[in-house]
């Protein structure tokens, strides 16, 4: 059964040889000097491009940086080396590359004003709060990338894989957030990168091992070494736990935001033409944005309606269309 699936995924006529795969993914084989020169040059340029795209909130520029970024090469090299049970130095290259990209992001962040709101930038906010679905999508992308590398006839999809598996932009965001002294946001972007790193390595290991690229001992067992599996399990736990926790927190925030909006609408029900335009949960505070032609009801009644609907201790702020901000107080306070 497994043999039939493998034959369908990678027909023998389209299977690349181990030497070809090693030549593409191992920076320490063949013309090492040329490979490393190209890698570091393109990585530095893609880091600058990604930093510019992030700081200017330009999606097109960030996508361009994804396409030319070569970081997936040594990451897949880790997967291939793990399957073959040999050290290629790819892990060291990936570590140094990450430090370089983060450093570029930190340097470029100096162009931002000191009071810049990082979360107002969609390129930053979208990469600082990853969830479980990000890991699932990254795993699928990792498998797609490994299959594309192993087949001769689907190399054209690799640019799409490069766009789908975001590597350099999250690291740039880490650098930008560190440059702005926002440690928690930097940690969120780092978790996103690590999840994508795990997805690529895991997908590569599974595909390369199942297609017979391992050493003879691994061909018999059909799997990589136990030590490698243990490392992958640890990495999976490190990634899975915070992503799951963040997903649960996001769902809770969505629920609390919806309940707050319902309570605010009931609070304004007796005020003619008054509406709740939006409710945002930012920095552990509920912001209720309202539009009213007249005076608002007492804010204490809003807090009373929120008791039992959202956790006690959450501050509530009402923003009016007239530019007035009212600190309603704390729920349950």
């Amino acid at each position: 059964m497994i043999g039939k699936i493998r034959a369908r995924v990678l027909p023998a006529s389209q299977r690349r040889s181990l030497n070809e795969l090693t030549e593409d993914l191992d920076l320490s084989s063949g013309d090492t000097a040329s490979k490393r020169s190209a890698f570091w040059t393109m990585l530095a340029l893609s880091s600058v491009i990604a930093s510019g795209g992030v700081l200017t909130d330009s999606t097109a520029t960030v996508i361009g940086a994804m396409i030319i970024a070569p970081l997936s090469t040594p990451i897949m090299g880790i997967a291939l080396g793990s399957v073959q049970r040999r050290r290629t130095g790819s892990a060291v290259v990936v570590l140094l590359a990450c430090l370089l990209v983060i450093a570029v992001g930190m340097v470029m962040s100096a162009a931002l004003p000191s009071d810049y709101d990082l979360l107002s930038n969609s390129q930053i906010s979208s990469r600082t709060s990853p969830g479980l679905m990000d890991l699932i999508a990254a795993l699928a992308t990792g498998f797609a990338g490994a299959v594309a590398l192993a087949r001769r006839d689907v190399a054209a999809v690799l640019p799409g894989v490069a766009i789908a598996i975001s590597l350099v932009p999250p690291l740039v965001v880490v650098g930008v957030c560190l440059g702005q002294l926002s440690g928690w946001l930097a940690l969120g972007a780092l978790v996103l990168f690590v999840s994508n790193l795990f997805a690529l390595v895991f997908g590569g290991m599974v595909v390369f091992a199942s297609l017979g690229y391992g050493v003879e001992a691994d061909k018999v067992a059909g799997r990589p070494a136990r030590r490698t599996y243990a490392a992958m399990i640890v990495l999976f736990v490190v990634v899975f736990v915070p992503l799951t926790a963040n997903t649960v927190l996001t769902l809770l925030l969505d629920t609390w935001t919806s309940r707050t909006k319902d309570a605010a609408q009931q609070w304004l029900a007796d005020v003619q033409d008054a509406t709740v335009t939006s409710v945002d949960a930012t920095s552990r505070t509920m912001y209720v944005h309202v539009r009213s032609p007249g005076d608002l009801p007492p804010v204490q009644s809003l807090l009373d309606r929120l008791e039992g609907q959202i956790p006690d201790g959450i501050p509530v702020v009402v923003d009016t269309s007239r530019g007035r901000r009212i600190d309603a107080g704390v729920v349950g306070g």
Side-chain angles (χ1 to χ4, degrees):
M1 181 67 178
I2 296 178
K4 291 182 179 180
I5 296 176
R6 181 169 59 186
R8 288 182 178 275
V9 173
L10 188 61
S13 60
Q14 297 298 335
R15 181 179 182 273
R16 300 180 70 197
S17 68
L18 178 59
N19 289 336
E20 290 176 316
L21 206 56
T22 301
E23 180 66 23
D24 284 350
L25 301 180
D26 188 355
L27 299 181
S28 63
S29 67
D31 190 353
T32 304
S34 296
K35 283 184 178 181
R36 291 181 176 175
S37 173
F39 173 80
W40 290 111
T41 299
M42 296 306 294
L43 181 67
L45 292 174
S46 65
S47 301
V48 174
I49 295 172
S51 297
V54 167
L55 295 180
T56 59
D57 202 357
S58 172
T59 301
T61 305
V62 172
I63 290 176
M66 291 179 187
I67 294 176
I68 69 171
L71 192 52
S72 61
T73 297
I75 292 177
M76 280 300 190
I78 294 175
L80 184 61
S82 299
V83 167
Q84 295 182 280
R85 297 187 186 184
R86 67 185 184 91
R87 297 180 180 178
T88 62
S90 296
V92 176
V93 172
V94 171
L95 177 60
L96 294 176
C98 291
L99 294 176
L100 172 62
V101 178
I102 292 174
V104 171
M106 292 181 67
V107 171
M108 297 284 283
S109 70
L112 295 176
S114 57
D115 60 345
Y116 184 79
D117 183 7
L118 293 175
L119 293 179
S120 66
N121 186 318
S122 64
Q123 298 300 324
I124 295 177
S125 60
S126 64
R127 292 183 172 88
T128 53
S129 184
L132 196 57
M133 287 304 300
D134 291 294
L135 177 60
I136 295 174
L139 283 170
T141 308
F143 281 110
V147 172
L149 286 168
R151 291 187 60 138
R152 301 180 189 276
D153 58 343
V154 292
V157 308
L158 286 176
V161 172
I163 295 173
I165 195 79
S166 186
L167 295 171
V168 168
L171 289 175
V172 167
V173 172
V174 171
V176 171
C177 293
L178 288 177
Q180 294 293 300
L181 303 180
S182 297
W184 283 110
L185 294 182
L187 181 60
L190 184 61
V191 170
L192 176 60
F193 169 77
V194 173
S195 68
N196 290 341
L197 170 67
F198 164 80
L200 276 180
V201 174
F202 181 78
M205 287 174 59
V206 171
V207 172
F208 295 154
S210 64
L211 295 178
Y213 286 113
V215 294
E216 292 300 324
D218 289 331
K219 289 181 180 178
V220 175
R223 58 174 184 256
R226 291 181 179 178
R227 184 177 300 177
T228 304
Y229 261 136
M232 292 303 297
I233 291 174
V234 171
L235 184 59
F236 176 78
V237 172
V238 170
V239 170
F240 182 80
V241 171
L243 289 182
T244 302
N246 192 63
T247 300
V248 172
L249 179 59
T250 300
L251 292 175
L252 286 175
L253 284 175
D254 288 342
T255 300
W256 296 338
T257 300
S258 177
R259 289 178 178 178
T260 301
K261 187 173 183 178
D262 290 341
Q265 288 173 339
Q266 295 172 10
W267 174 57
L268 295 177
D270 295 332
V271 181
Q272 188 175 4
D273 297 329
T275 58
V276 179
T277 57
S278 64
V279 176
D280 302 322
T282 306
S283 300
R284 302 178 183 178
T285 301
M286 283 292 179
Y287 290 90
V288 181
H289 304 276
V290 302
R291 179 177 299 170
S292 175
D295 294 332
L296 298 175
V299 292
Q300 184 58 46
S301 63
L302 172 60
L303 294 178
D304 293 340
R305 292 178 182 276
L306 289 174
E307 284 196 41
Q309 299 298 310
I310 64 176
D312 291 345
I314 295 181
V316 176
V317 175
V318 178
D319 276 330
T320 70
S321 56
R322 300 175 182 178
R324 182 187 175 195
R325 173 170 291 189
I326 305 172
D327 291 326
V330 177
V331 176

